[in-house]
Amino acid sequence: MVSRSKDTVREQSISARSARNTAEISAAGIAIANHDWAALCPGQFVTCFVSMATEPPTDELRTKLLALGKDVALPIMKPGNSLAWGFDGTDLVKNSYGIFEPAPAEIDIATASAILIPALRVGRDGSRLGRGAGYYDRALAGVPTHAMGGPIRICLVFDDEVDDSVPSEAHDAPIDLIVTPSEVIRIN
């Protein structure tokens, strides 16, 4: 098998996402939101994210999580490619990258029952390929894995973005669950 570099796979994934039509993207967000999120995120406190234009949309999912009575934290991009957190609500403000963010709050994501994470591609082996800035890898570095009692780490991707494995390195945070429009894949 030919080894694929992170940069090559990342470029191919971004290109493929750019080619998706808005109807397909919208339908993916609705289908993802229609999964059983009460079972996937059984605790009171979860994190999510505000999706970018070509990501599976999270608007319906965030609405569903809030309707289930969850406290939903969203990331805030900080200097040094780090994340702070705030609670989802109506007062979201667009950052310099065009991503909506909440007002900051004192939040320890290690206490969440689930952390929902964006990705470009994921592997059935628990590997995840993001956009390359390392925001989530840094944020998760101090959070225990689910196997060690920490939050379950869930990636949201399109159906065709799941491989057996994606290029990863030792510092890349592993995931526990993959949610696509058509299935939920548990990592063993």
Side-chain angles (χ1 to χ4, degrees):
M1 181 173 139
V2 177
S3 176
R4 302 177 300 167
S5 77
K6 278 183 159 184
D7 290 338
T8 300
V9 175
R10 191 175 283 120
E11 289 169 13
Q12 292 169 342
S13 298
I14 290 170
S15 177
R17 278 194 173 175
S18 296
R20 291 186 197 281
N21 65 53
T22 54
E24 179 186 4
I25 293 170
S26 178
I30 293 166
I32 285 172
N34 284 332
H35 287 293
D36 184 359
W37 288 97
L40 294 173
C41 300
Q44 176 67 31
F45 170 47
V46 301
T47 77
C48 195
F49 59 94
V50 177
S51 54
M52 294 174 25
T54 60
E55 292 176 330
T58 58
D59 292 344
E60 289 88 357
L61 174 57
R62 291 176 21 242
T63 298
K64 184 170 189 173
L65 292 170
L66 291 168
L68 288 170
K70 309 284 185 196
D71 297 321
V72 180
L74 301 174
I76 302 166
M77 298 169 76
K78 303 301 275 181
N81 294 357
S82 64
L83 295 176
W85 299 86
F87 287 105
D88 199 351
T90 58
D91 57 345
L92 302 181
V93 178
K94 195 179 282 191
N95 70 14
S96 62
Y97 295 101
I99 302 169
F100 285 95
E101 297 176 329
E106 290 296 320
I107 297 173
D108 178 5
I109 64 168
T111 64
S113 64
I115 298 175
L116 280 66
I117 306 168
L120 289 171
R121 294 196 81 77
V122 292
R124 292 176 183 273
D125 63 353
S127 55
R128 169 191 166 270
L129 184 68
R131 291 190 169 268
Y135 283 96
Y136 276 87
D137 293 320
R138 284 180 193 81
L140 294 171
V143 176
T145 63
H146 188 58
M148 298 299 290
I152 189 165
R153 299 169 183 199
I154 304 171
C155 275
L156 309 178
V157 294
F158 294 98
D159 289 315
D160 61 358
E161 295 175 337
V162 179
D163 298 323
D164 289 335
S165 182
V166 296
S168 61
E169 299 173 53
H171 69 271
D172 293 328
I175 60 171
D176 304 298
L177 197 68
I178 301 165
V179 177
T180 76
S182 67
E183 67 182 320
V184 173
I185 303 164
R186 297 191 187 278
I187 309 298
N188 293 328

